[in-house]
Amino acid sequence: MCGIIGCVGTEDTAYRLVSGLENLEYRGYDSAGIAVRNGQDIRVEKNAGKVTELKHAIVDDVPRGQLGIGHTRWSTHGAPTDENAHPHTGETGEVAVVHNGIIENYDELREELEAEGREFTSETDTEVVPHLIERYQAATEDLTGAFERAVDDIAGSYAIVAVAESEDRILAAREDSPLVVGFDDDATYIASDVPAFLEHTDEVAYLQDGDTAMLSADGLRVTDADGDEIEREREVVEWDAEETGKGQYDHFMHKEIDTQPEAITNALQGRVEDGDVSLENFPPGTFEGVAAVQFVACGTSYHAGLYAARLLNKAGVPANAYRASEYASGDIPATGDTLVVAVTQSGETADTLSALRQAQDMGARTTTVTNVVGSTAAREVETPLYIRAGPEIGVAATKTFSSQVTTLALLAERIIDDVAAGTPREDRASYLEALQRLPDQIGEVLGTSEAERVCRNHVHKEAYFFIGQGVACPVAKEGALKFKEITYEHAEGFAAGELKHGPLALVTPDTVVFAVFTGGERDEKTLNNAKEVQARGADIVAIAPEGVDVSACTDEVLRVPATDADLTSLLTNVQLQLLSYHSADMLNREIDQPRNLAKSVTVE
Ligand code: F6R
């Protein structure tokens, strides 16, 4: 939700800012801009549209200077116009600011500043910040003090990064929006996320809520929420810069679908030993005393939570998945014997963080299953569990869903062992072996999938339904989410048995129904539900493991290798991802950056 970068210390500042913004575009792509300080003044270049447009706009006259900031926007206040693009300046142009988050009291601040005679040029909440800094700087002439006072005036969530004509430093502050600092030999960076500067350095320090930071070419000074100077620990991120490039692929999404075998291998690495689960930091007994489990998450991560809740329910453990935005209202009871698991790829989703905090306020035990080391979710729980999927740039989550489900499947086994209500599966060793075969089997699906051919038969239909039962139900919902997200076609995912309770009214010969089978005992019912839609003239495409006879409802089948019925959905999901990807490609959609969306949603 908006990508920020700042860089101090090099001559090619504009280049580094723009290439950083390209790597942050998954966070927003409504407009882009940079501000570069050249020793005399600050030059701002910004426009509506993507970073490429900004790049074209400056190619013949690149701003020069050793210090600068940049921003790629996902609009919250004001349309995606040139005026609303960041960086924003005040009256004099001496200070430029980029911001991620929402300033909740901006209306009153703006009124106050306008009453002082200050003129605003945008509709954004952000523009109050440079005006506030200028106001306080005029009174004190001290930029740092003025910056801190401006930040004190603001209520809401923010990552703010500012430069001033008079200073060779970058100032930054964070509250509920991520900021990470990167240290290179010749330069210091600050950004919303590591990929922004990963090609230059992998040595980072994460700022924390309430921090104010000052960056210079040779380092970082941080003051915490109490005003005390503090060292934020430096660490080396394990991501590889190559992982943040597209390689030979046309789209990040395709690359990320294709790299799922590696992602799952990483998720499993060292976590299955002697036929049992061995989760670092979660030794046997960790979850003793837990009476119920709640997963809180949004979007794709919510579907992973639904999947995990099913696995626990099957073993007798009371578990539910909740949409984080609903959970955060506080209506769902949780107590000291409830384990609340926040499932979040980014670890920064505002709704999920609110739900997590809500659970903590209620006294629940909490953890998070996340991809991003050092993310807010990871820092706000005692022991996070990482999915180790590596960076995911395509806005549509693909490999991270597979890695989440794999990691949650392991966590579920640990919970089942520890809690009184849990009945461990008798075939655990063979189940874990099946889990370890998944990378190869996904490789097989990727190598043989006929999804592209199937898409051609159905690409111009009116609506697309996805149905499944049991653990196939969350995957049907995920299939529909992916499909609507990147094709912009009408798609819905249902529990197969629910169709006849309403949605069947929507089924016409212009509808395609993707029926997801698991190889388990509920398949017979899914088959019957598929026949019901077939009788209404819809096209049926079955996604089924080898050996499951679906000929009673369709000839069109996308096959996956047979495996444990609880794990088949991780394979059928890959076929669904490919269906979405190829359909979107045939429709010429913006696959990696679907309209109106952003990957990391840091506002509620
Ligand atoms: C869909 C998608 C979103 C995210 C959701 C939660 O493809 O990516 O639905 O799953 O915004 O994001 P995280 O997992 O970062 O909390």
Side-chain angles (χ1 to χ4, degrees), residues 298-301 344-346 349 395-397 404 481-482 485 599 601:
C298 303
T300 291
S301 298
T344 166
Q345 184 284 127
S346 61
T349 300
V395 164
Q404 283 172 335
L481 175 64
K482 218 87 304 173
E485 191 178 10
K599 190 161 186 70
V601 185

Side-chain angles (χ1 to χ4, degrees), residues 190-469:
I190 187 158
S192 307
D193 199 358
V194 175
F197 51 69
L198 192 57
E199 65 179 293
H200 308 295
T201 180
D202 56 6
E203 192 184 350
V204 306
Y206 294 90
L207 296 188
Q208 301 197 4
D209 280 348
D211 281 357
T212 308
M214 199 192 296
L215 278 80
S216 57
D218 50 14
L220 168 73
R221 277 182 61 190
V222 183
T223 308
D224 69 10
D226 298 325
D228 298 325
E229 198 165 327
I230 189 156
E231 285 272 321
R232 291 288 172 221
E233 197 186 328
R234 291 194 190 194
E235 47 192 281
V236 172
V237 286
E238 284 175 14
W239 292 356
D240 182 343
E242 253 182 43
E243 288 184 88
T244 59
K246 259 193 254 178
Q248 85 270 22
Y249 291 89
D250 287 340
H251 301 100
F252 280 110
M253 182 182 180
H254 200 189
K255 177 184 171 190
E256 286 154 4
I257 291 173
D258 260 12
T259 49
Q260 291 179 108
E262 290 95 292
I264 293 191
T265 304
N266 289 342
L268 291 169
Q269 192 80 44
R271 288 173 168 175
V272 177
E273 267 173 17
D274 305 327
D276 213 340
V277 173
S278 155
L279 276 184
E280 70 281 6
N281 305 326
F282 293 95
T286 303
F287 300 112
E288 265 167 24
V290 167
V293 182
Q294 298 174 343
F295 296 94
V296 292
C298 303
T300 291
S301 298
Y302 167 70
H303 298 146
L306 278 176
Y307 199 123
R310 294 261 172 177
L311 294 177
L312 288 172
N313 292 158
K314 283 181 81 167
V317 179
N320 253 310
Y322 296 95
R323 295 188 188 277
S325 53
E326 294 293 313
Y327 189 93
S329 66
D331 298 339
I332 314 289
T335 54
D337 58 7
T338 313
L339 172 69
V340 176
V341 184
V343 186
T344 166
Q345 184 284 127
S346 61
E348 300 293 350
T349 300
D351 288 324
T352 307
L353 293 174
S354 293
L356 178 64
R357 290 165 190 158
Q358 173 68 34
Q360 286 167 341
D361 287 349
M362 290 189 289
R365 295 163 69 168
T366 56
T367 183
T368 184
V369 170
T370 185
N371 194 28
V372 182
V373 177
S375 59
T376 305
R379 282 188 282 102
E380 291 196 5
V381 301
E382 211 168 288
T383 319
L385 182 59
Y386 293 110
I387 64 170
R388 308 170 177 166
E392 188 176 66
I393 310 291
V395 164
T398 51
K399 66 173 178 173
T400 55
F401 175 76
S402 297
S403 302
Q404 283 172 335
V405 173
T406 305
T407 310
L408 285 165
L410 295 172
L411 180 65
E413 291 305 299
R414 164 63 57 247
I415 294 171
I416 291 163
D417 270 354
D418 284 358
V419 308
T423 309
R425 25 189 328 152
E426 281 167 12
D427 62 347
R428 174 171 288 167
S430 67
Y431 172 69
L432 294 177
E433 271 170 35
L435 204 53
Q436 288 175 300
R437 277 198 302 277
L438 281 173
D440 284 346
Q441 290 179 322
I442 290 182
E444 214 177 300
V445 174
L446 291 167
T448 57
S449 175
E450 302 207 336
E452 189 171 0
R453 180 185 58 73
V454 168
C455 289
R456 252 180 246 123
N457 301 339
H458 303 288
V459 79
H460 290 295
K461 293 290 184 155
E462 214 166 64
Y464 299 83
F465 291 172
F466 295 71
I467 60 170
Q469 305 235 351

